[in-house]
């Protein structure tokens, strides 16, 4: 029985460390290869020993696919390919290929230089790993080998994020990665065609949330910033360097442009500049507005946003500063926060979730007095929270499922409790079965693959011509010969099959005797049979031959006297097996007897 | 057959020759053309290869064919069709047959047999499809002939089983265009029964080819468009098509569902998987709403657009479209809109927000949450958030239309519209502002909404700001704080963008007159008066102060208690503003002061307006013109023209009529004057340049007539006849003057011929109106036409001269509504002393901003002219997108004009003005033959002449020599 097997090594009923193994029609594919943010030990990377205890991974995996550049989707890649050892192809989109090494390098630096970890992958390993990458375009069908093919679809979420369709023969799986069904200021909405895969593996981060319209959020954000700046206050926006930061930059930049504002906006430097460069480059991956206007002006060439210098923080007058990192736990954002916290005119806007224990979390939960480096710090500035998340909400997930029309759905990348709710909903509303395996748990799905059979055009046309109206999508009966040769199937007409196989045709005739009570002569009986058949079978060719026999099409009927009983005549009916239908009908008809002659 | 055909050709040819001999005089122009069919026949016989033949056919298709020779041509083509083996040539012939059968004046029923005949023997699918197309052309040409229709429908049904999608497409198209629904009608003697086309087309809704499915739905829509009533039975079929794999099918299916929902809004349909039933229109509405989140944006646009026109839908369904139940972690959450509303009603708006004030509250029952509703839930929320701005615009438009028909929905959709003011694409913002203006009668803005609306006043786009001013003109504000907020924001806008001055004043005028009671408590604060102390008198030239006064005075108009709050200088300022800005400041009943002009008050009796009467009287006076001596006539005309002009200045609503009539009278005056000249009294031709006055008059009359024809909107055909008649007279005058002043006869021949052609043209164009022109110039002229045709130029001139003198003055009937086109250039203002410097040889872009009033089709007619000091003139055609349409009859041109010149030694002024281009030959109907083939673009856009219709503005420019 052919089947699809799915085993999450990470992200099964969990967020982070996305890594899913899929075997489909004998091919093994690994989807994403991420790290977990919550752990610093072995658990931070997926357990690759599950794939093979000894022996190289290359022998067991046909390819690796990375959906986007976030570290929880690609963080373990150098470890996997260089340290564990994998030499096969790694597929990702062009923007991901460009931005991924920057983030990996940053991650490495923090782990090795700041935390002093040993036995971590090196810069060289990142480079070597990236050499194995094959970049794909949107909607480009890539042949991994003769049978396995993959295709990328746009996913929104971050620049270069993609959903992948993995297809072997007629069986297919779609993996969404992270995606967003509502467009934002710099990215479009995820889109997939009606590809009807056997399995859809979708993320479910917001399985139990339906979000408000993004417009309210945007308007709120802009209004807050604008009001503060007009009052003469300073606005601090702690962000992570890639993803939402660009969204907020675009938002502010266009607002500044529209409202003709002159207040400076700064962005703390670092890896952002490099990343911004790529944002400028990959215009085709952005939304309609940016794509259409980049000829006049590339939206990522910010007019109002300048690079930040440490000294600017003390400048008088209003300003807006984007600073990293996003949770105010260290670095530049924290320094600026300390400087500005004392003034009630200022404002800090937290655009995302903050982990417990960080300064960001403390101030968001309303704490006004902070202990920092042994000194008391009173927070007088306004604190605002605003969620700009780029994941699909419950409605979005349902919308995608509706678009792709899969046979089954599998949920990953979410919390178990929330998944359970969504699973019920999907089963209820689409009437498809839905799975949510935990890490290491394997789901096996039987499939019924269709087998393609070639048919000769002549045969097809001949059979088509026989039917009346061509009824679309309805099964039709077809006569022909199936030839199975060299693992291919062909349907040809029987004559051609005989010719090809060099066989002689066997004539197969059925004969049947029918006894009739008739005292007349043979010829007269034959004549009676003839006239009877002639009147019954109007649309068939019935003939009376000179030798006294009757033919209906190619069926021969002869009348003979019974050897013992002269009152009984024997009708000899003979037909070939092609005319089986008509022949059996005739015998049945004749067995009923002839109508009494009017004489 | 062939011999017979050839004979026909030659017959036709000989007939032509005979005609030439007989009636040489009248039909001279037409008969110079050779017979088409003969030429084509010869060409096609010459062709050696299919490629050659194709070339000939292509060449042939470039020229039009007259109705008389169509049949011959068709025969020739058919003959070649039978002989031809190459399918591409047959295809071309088939398409030519279709084109030919469309020729006006040709009845194609004679070729229908042949066409059906060749259809039966044709093997190539492409040619078959083309032939069916030809049949369609023939069928649409003969809508009355029931027998042919039935026959064609039969043919189409027969070919429906063809394997090629192209053929099936065409068959369905044919059925859609010609088929009828009912079986019963058998009125023809032959007893032909019309088939029930709807069922046949319906069968192809599940064809295997998506193109055929689309064609089937389109054919169904075509049936509907032809006025046949579709059966409700196809509704379910159409609903199934909504989940088709192909976008064009879905898009067409959405339309079909909409059509059915309009036809049977009240019938009841069951909801699947439950026992309930709902109205069809509600069901369809839900289904179309669902398509707003389709995968293809084409379908989304289509669906969003159609939603707007479903007005019969029940209100609770309608309100669902704006409802998206929020939840977070399975707990119900309120939307930002709800929160804003609550904050507002609890009276603590814009308090410092805390984290988590949007924290979810109540637990949700997991079973009750429906994630993809079959209903209309949140359709507009999705539509307004769509990635493609086309969808968003469509959604905003739909919202507008629905809100106009349902006040409660208008109230609800307000929040969403306000949100759209922050869209990233200007077009969408603009559209939503306009939408809001259209529904503003139904709504009152809350303070927090007003706040968001007003924030947009700082937008750097002028269009947006002005649209917003228009919106504020007609919004209802609920509180006095709202008014104050609006005023403050408008004043802020004024300081930031001083060019918006007029627009802001106008806005405040309406704001004041709409909310007198809300303005009243604000007055002391706004005028900064103090109960005990005199405050300093504000600066009268300050636009902001004027803005405040405009608001207050307009409010005071309906609020008699308000003037008591004014201080002395306010009264003085009132008097000043009432004079200087009378359109913004109304007349007030101030204590101790009489109302200056009681006539303006609106309670004037409904009987005839005195100025209207005056206009009528002065025009009637002119009727007696005929009986006066020339001197008296001239004087009368002069007086009347003066009166009319003055009237036009005084009464703006009558300006159009007055100017129009004055222009006509001026033409008449000029004509009389010209004919009065001494020149005519001399018997012999003078050959001198003395007749300046007459020729100048002729030229001026021509100009005036062009202005009358093209510069006024609302001119009807009866006026156009008179105008053309006047122009004809001017042309005659011109001819006479030329004859009198030029030596030699040769140039006169040409001129005479041309003039006679003009007369002929006049006759052809206005044949229906000729009876109204009794005793006129043209009437007499046409009587003498045969004589003129044969006369020598000298005689023609003589006849014309006498006729001109004898002709009567034609009375010009006044059109109902007439407005003179006018234009004002707002920018460049022409006040700058700083020249625009640029390097010679390169270009400089000059922003031009102008308002146009009562211009029809400005995209094609309005041009910008730049006059350089060296007399060089340049005409610029603005792009169609540069014209905006802010209101009925008004247009706004915002464009850039590129200037360039060689280097100058010092700065100089160039003149910029707007021109109205016209083309009087555009009124001639075009032949249908030309529609199919490529028309040279010059014919379409040719400009006969231009009329300047705006004051020129001077721009100071300085092209500098390029630095080496």
């Amino acid at each position: 029985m052919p089947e699809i097997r799915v085993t999450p090594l990470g992200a099964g009923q969990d967020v982070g460390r996305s890594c899913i193994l899929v075997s489909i029609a004998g091919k093994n594919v690994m989807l994403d290869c991420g790290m977990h943010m919550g752990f610093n030990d072995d658990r931070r990377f997926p357990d690759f020993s599950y794939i093979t205890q000894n022996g190289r991974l290359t022998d067991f995996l046909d390819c690796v696919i990375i959906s986007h550049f976030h570290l929880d989707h690609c963080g373990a890649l150098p470890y996997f390919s260089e340290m564990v050892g994998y030499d096969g192809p790694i597929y990702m989109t062009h923007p991901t290929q460009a931005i991924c090494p920057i983030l990996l390098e940053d991650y490495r630096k923090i782990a090795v230089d700041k935390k002093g970890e040993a036995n971590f992958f090196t810069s060289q390993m990142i480079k070597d790993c990236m050499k194995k990458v094959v970049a794909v375009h949107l909607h480009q069908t890539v042949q991994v080998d003769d049978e396995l093919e993959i295709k990328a679809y746009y996913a929104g979420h971050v620049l270069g994020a993609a959903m992948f369709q993995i297809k072997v023969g007629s069986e297919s799986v779609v993996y969404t990665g992270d995606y967003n069904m509502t467009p934002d200021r710099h990215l479009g909405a995820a889109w997939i065609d009606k590809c009807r895969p056997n399995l859809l593996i979708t993320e479910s981060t917001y399985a139990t949330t339906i979000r408000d319209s993004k417009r309210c959020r945007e308007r709120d954000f802009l209004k807050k910033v604008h009001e503060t700046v007009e009052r003469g206050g300073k606005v601090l926006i702690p962000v992570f360097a890639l993803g939402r930061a660009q969204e907020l930059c675009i938002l502010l930049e266009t607002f500044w442009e529209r409202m003709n504002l002159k207040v400076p906006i700064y962005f703390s430097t670092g890896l952002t500049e490099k990343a911004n460069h790529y944002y400028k480059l990959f215009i085709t991956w952005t939304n309609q507005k940016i794509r259409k206007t980049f000829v006049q002006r590339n939206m990522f060439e910010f007019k109002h946003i300048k690079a930040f210098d440490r000294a600017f923080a003390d400048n008088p007058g209003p300003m807006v500063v984007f600073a990293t990192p996003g949770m105010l736990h260290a670095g530049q954002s924290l320094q600026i926060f300390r400087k500005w916290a004392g003034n009630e005119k200022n404002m800090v806007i937290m655009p995302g979730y903050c982990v417990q224990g960080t300064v960001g979390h403390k101030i968001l939960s309303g704490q006004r007095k902070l202990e920092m480096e042994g000194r008391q710090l009173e927070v007088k500035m306004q604190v605002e929270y605003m969620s700009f998340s780029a994941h699909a909400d419950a409605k979005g997930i349902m919308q995608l499922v509706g678009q792709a029309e899969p046979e089954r759905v599998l949920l990953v990348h979410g919390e178990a409790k929330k998944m359970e709710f969504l699973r019920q909903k999907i089963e209820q509303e689409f009437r498809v079965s839905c799975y949510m395996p935990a890490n290491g748990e394997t789901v096996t799905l039987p499939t019924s693959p269709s087998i393609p059979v070639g048919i000769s055009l002549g045969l097809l046309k001949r059979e088509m011509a026989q039917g009346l109206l061509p009824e679309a999508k309805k099964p039709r009966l077809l006569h022909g010969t199936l030839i199975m040769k060299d693992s291919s199937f062909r349907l040809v007409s029987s004559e051609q099959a005989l010719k090809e196989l060099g066989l002689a045709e066997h004539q197969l005739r059925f004969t049947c005797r029918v006894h009739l009570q008739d005292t007349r002569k043979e010829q007269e009986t034959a004549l009676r049979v003839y006239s009877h058949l002639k009147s019954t079978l109007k649309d068939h060719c019935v003939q009376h031959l000179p030798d006294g026999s009757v033919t209906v099409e190619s069926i021969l009927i002869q009348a003979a006297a019974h050897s013992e009983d002269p009152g009984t005549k024997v009708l000899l009916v003979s037909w070939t097996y092609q005319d089986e239908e008509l022949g059996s009908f005739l015998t049945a008809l004749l067995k009923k007897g002839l109508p009494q002659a009017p004489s | 057959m062939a011999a017979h055909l050839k004979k026909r050709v030659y017959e036709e040819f000989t007939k032509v020759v005979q005609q030439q001999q007989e009636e040489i005089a009248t039909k001279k122009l037409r008969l110079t053309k050779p017979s088409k069919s003969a030429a084509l026949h010869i060409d096609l016989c010459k062709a050696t290869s299919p490629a050659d033949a194709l070339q000939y056919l292509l060449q042939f298709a470039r020229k039009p064919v007259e109705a008389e020779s169509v049949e011959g041509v068709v025969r020739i083509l058919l003959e070649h069709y039978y002989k031809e083996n190459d399918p591409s040539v047959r295809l071309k012939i088939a398409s030519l047959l279709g084109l030919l059968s469309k020729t006006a004046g040709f009845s194609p029923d004679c070729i229908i047999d042949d066409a059906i005949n060749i259809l039966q023997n044709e093997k190539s699918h492409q040619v078959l499809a083309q032939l069916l197309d030809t049949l369609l052309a023939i069928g649409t040409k003969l809508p009355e002939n029931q027998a042919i229709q039935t026959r064609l429908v039969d043919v189409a049904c027969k070919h429906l089983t063809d394997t090629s999608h192209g053929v099936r497409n065409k068959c369905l198209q044919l059925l859609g265009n010609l088929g009828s629904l009912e079986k019963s009608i058998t009125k023809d003697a032959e007893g032909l029964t019309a088939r029930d086309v709807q069922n046949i087309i319906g069968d192809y809704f599940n064809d295997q080819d998506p193109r055929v499915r689309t064609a089937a739905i389109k054919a169904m829509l075509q049936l509907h468009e032809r006025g046949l009533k579709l059966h409700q039975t196809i509704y379910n079929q159409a609903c199934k098509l909504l989940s088709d794999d192909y976008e064009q099918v879905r898009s067409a299916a959405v339309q079909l569902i909409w059509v059915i929902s309009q036809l049977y809004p009240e019938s009841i349909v069951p909801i699947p998987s439950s026992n309930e039933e709902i109205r069809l229109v509600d069901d369809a509405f839900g289904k179309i709403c669902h398509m707003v989140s389709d995968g293809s944006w084409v379908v989304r646009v289509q669906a969003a657009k159609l939603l707007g026109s479903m007005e019969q839908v029940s209100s609770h369904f309608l309100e669902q479209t704006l409802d998206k139940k929020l939840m977070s972690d399975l707990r119900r959450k309120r939307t930002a809109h709800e929160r804003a509303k609550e904050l507002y009603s609890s009276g603590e708006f814009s308090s410092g927000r805390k984290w988590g004030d949007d924290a979810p509250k109540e637990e949700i029952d997991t079973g009750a949450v429906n994630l993809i509703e079959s209903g209309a839930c949140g359709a507009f929320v999705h539509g307004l958030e769509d990635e493609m701005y086309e969808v968003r615009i469509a959604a905003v438009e739909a919202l507008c239309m629905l809100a106009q028909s349902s006040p409660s929905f208008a109230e609800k959709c307000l929040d969403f519209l306000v949100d759209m003011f922050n869209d990233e694409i200007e077009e969408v913002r603009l559209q939503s502002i306009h939408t809001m203006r259209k529904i503003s009668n139904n709504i009152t803005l809350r303070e927090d909404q007003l706040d968001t609306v007003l924030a947009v006043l700082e937008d750097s786009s002028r269009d947006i700001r002005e649209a917003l001013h228009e919106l504020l003109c007609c919004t209802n504000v609920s509180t006095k704080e709202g008014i104050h907020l609006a005023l403050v924001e408008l004043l802020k806008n004024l300081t930031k963008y001083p060019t918006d001055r007029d627009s802001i004043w106008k806005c405040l005028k309406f704001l004041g007159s709409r909310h007198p009671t809300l303005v009243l408590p604000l007055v002391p604060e706004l005028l900064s008066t103090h109960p005990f102390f005199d405050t300093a008198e504000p600066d009268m030239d300050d636009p902001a102060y004027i803005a405040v006064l405009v608001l207050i005075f307009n409010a005071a108009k309906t609020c008699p208690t308000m003037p008591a709050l004014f201080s002395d200088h306010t009264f003085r300022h009132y008097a000043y503003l009432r004079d200087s800005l009378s359109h913004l400041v109304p007349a007030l009943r101030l204590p101790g002061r009489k109302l200056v002009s009681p006539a303006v008050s609106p309670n004037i009796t409904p009987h005839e307006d005195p100025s209207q009467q005056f206009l009528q009287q002065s025009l009637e006076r002119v009727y007696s013109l005929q009986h006066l001596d020339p001197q008296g006539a001239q004087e009368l005309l002069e007086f009347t023209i003066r009166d009319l002009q003055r009237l036009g200045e005084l009464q703006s609503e009558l300006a159009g009529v007055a100017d129009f009539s004055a222009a006509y009278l001026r033409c008449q005056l000029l004509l009389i004057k010209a004919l009065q000249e001494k020149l005519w009294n001399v018997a012999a031709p003078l050959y001198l340049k003395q007749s300046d006055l007459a020729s100048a008059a002729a030229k001026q009359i021509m100009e005036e007539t062009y202005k009358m024809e093209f510069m006024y909107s609302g001119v009807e055909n009866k006026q156009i006849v008179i105008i053309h008649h006047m122009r004809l007279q001017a042309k005659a005058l011109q001819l006479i003057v030329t004859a009198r002043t030029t030596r030699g006869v040769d140039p006169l021949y040409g001129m005479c011929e041309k003039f006679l052609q003009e007369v002929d043209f006049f006759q052809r164009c206005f044949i229906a109106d000729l009876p109204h022109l009794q005793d006129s110039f043209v009437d007499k002229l046409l009587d003498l036409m045969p004589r003129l045709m044969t006369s020598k130029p000298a005689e023609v001139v003589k006849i014309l001269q006498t006729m001109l003198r004898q002709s009567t003055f034609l009375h010009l009937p006044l059109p109902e509504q007439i407005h003179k086109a006018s234009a004002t250039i707002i920018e460049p203002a022409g006040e700058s002393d700083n020249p625009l410097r640029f390097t010679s040889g390169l270009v400089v872009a000059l922003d031009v901003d102008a308002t146009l009033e009562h211009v029809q089709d400005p995209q094609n007619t309005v041009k910008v002219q730049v006059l350089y000091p060296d007399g060089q003139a340049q005409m610029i055609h603005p792009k169609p997108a540069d014209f905006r349409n802010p209101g009925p009859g008004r247009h706004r041109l915002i464009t850039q004009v590129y200037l360039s010149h060689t280097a100058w030694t010092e700065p100089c002024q160039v003149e910029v003005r707007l021109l109205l281009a016209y083309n009087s030959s555009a009124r001639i109907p075009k032949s249908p033959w030309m529609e199919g083939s490529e028309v040279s673009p010059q014919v379409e856009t040719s400009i006969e002449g231009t009329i300047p219709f705006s004051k020129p503005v001077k721009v100071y420019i300085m092209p500098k020599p390029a630095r080496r």
Side-chain angles (χ1 to χ4, degrees), chain A residues 183 185 188 191 194 196 208-215 219 258-259 288 364 385 418 425 429 472, chain B residues 206 243 245 295 327 329 336 355 369-370 372 384-385 387-390 419 422-423 452 459-460 496:
Chain A
R185 289 285 171 142
W191 179 85
K194 239 176 229 191
R196 302 197 174 88
T208 54
T209 302
I210 299 176
R211 268 179 299 163
D212 198 356
S213 110
K214 58 162 186 163
R215 296 193 180 280
R219 196 192 56 208
R258 257 181 64 199
M259 296 303 179
Q288 187 195 24
L364 278 183
Y385 171 76
K418 297 182 182 177
K425 286 289 151 198
E429 286 179 29
Chain B
N206 19 359
S243 51
D245 284 10
M327 60 177 193
D329 246 353
W355 183 40
V369 183
N370 218 5
I372 47 157
L384 294 176
E385 269 185 25
E387 180 185 1
M388 312 299 283
Y389 81 94
E390 291 90 341
D419 279 349
N422 283 320
D423 195 273
T452 328
D459 202 296
S460 59
K496 203 163 173 184

Side-chain angles (χ1 to χ4, degrees), chain A residues 389-459:
Chain A
S389 175
H391 288 275
D393 63 0
K395 260 199 148 169
I397 296 170
M398 298 300 268
Q399 205 182 331
L400 187 92
V401 175
Q403 269 183 21
E405 293 188 2
E407 278 174 23
R408 298 180 183 89
V409 180
L410 190 141
L411 302 178
V412 293
H413 201 280
E415 292 162 34
K417 210 184 97 208
K418 297 182 182 177
M419 277 184 177
E420 182 56 40
F421 164 76
L422 191 66
R423 193 179 68 83
Q424 278 174 17
K425 286 289 151 198
I426 289 175
E427 292 190 340
Q428 195 178 320
E429 286 179 29
F430 292 106
R431 313 203 180 284
V432 297
S433 41
C434 183
Y435 309 87
M436 35 176 282
N439 283 340
E441 187 184 333
T442 304
V443 175
T444 309
L445 312 160
T447 57
S448 49
S450 52
I451 299 161
V453 174
I455 182 168
S456 73
L457 191 64
L459 179 65

Side-chain angles (χ1 to χ4, degrees), chain B residues 535-708:
Chain B
T535 44
E537 185 174 332
D539 180 12
M540 198 50 243
D541 292 330
D542 181 12
Y545 179 61
I546 296 180
V548 172
L549 286 186
V550 167
L551 176 78
I552 292 175
F553 290 148
N554 279 290
K557 195 178 159 199
T558 44
C559 183
T561 52
M562 204 181 284
L565 298 167
F566 295 173
S567 52
D568 286 345
H569 55 79
T570 316
F571 289 111
R572 269 187 279 123
H573 293 165
Y574 165 74
Y576 171 67
L577 286 180
R578 174 78 191 123
D579 264 3
S580 59
L581 296 171
S582 51
H583 61 290
L584 292 173
V585 179
L588 291 183
R589 247 174 242 283
L590 294 182
R593 231 172 259 241
K594 271 183 191 156
L595 224 51
V596 192
S597 52
V600 197
S601 51
N603 56 352
I604 226 170
T605 42
H607 74 70
E608 192 86 341
D609 193 6
S611 45
Q612 184 83 37
Q613 271 177 355
F614 176 73
L615 180 75
Q616 286 299 338
Q617 280 165 4
S618 24
L619 287 176
E620 271 158 26
R621 221 167 34 201
V622 189
Y623 294 163
S624 57
L625 200 65
Q626 214 56 47
H627 315 298
L628 290 172
D629 62 306
Q631 195 59 40
Q634 272 189 35
E635 272 170 23
L636 175 61
L637 281 172
E638 273 165 14
F639 282 132
T640 320
I641 290 169
R642 200 196 59 203
D643 285 353
L644 286 174
Q645 275 173 340
R646 183 76 187 125
L647 181 70
E649 283 162 24
L650 286 175
Q651 289 281 316
S652 56
E653 61 266 36
L654 290 177
V657 182
D659 283 352
F660 189 65
S661 339
Y664 182 62
L665 296 183
R666 204 174 305 123
C667 290
Q668 187 64 26
L669 179 66
L670 283 166
L671 192 65
I672 294 178
K673 272 190 184 161
L675 291 173
Q676 225 39 57
E677 247 200 309
K678 285 189 198 113
L679 164 79
W680 313 113
N681 302 334
V682 186
L686 280 176
Y687 306 132
L688 286 176
K689 290 281 171 201
Q690 275 184 354
S691 54
D692 277 346
L693 184 107
S695 65
K699 215 179 267 172
Q700 207 178 337
I701 295 174
M702 299 273 274
E703 269 173 32
E704 290 278 349
T705 54
Y706 280 123
K707 277 190 192 171
M708 286 172 75

Side-chain angles (χ1 to χ4, degrees), chain B residues 804-817:
Chain B
L804 260 186
R805 281 168 175 248
Q806 288 165 358
S807 68
T808 52
F809 169 66
L810 275 178
H811 171 53
L812 178 72
L814 283 182
E816 307 256 317
Q817 275 286 325

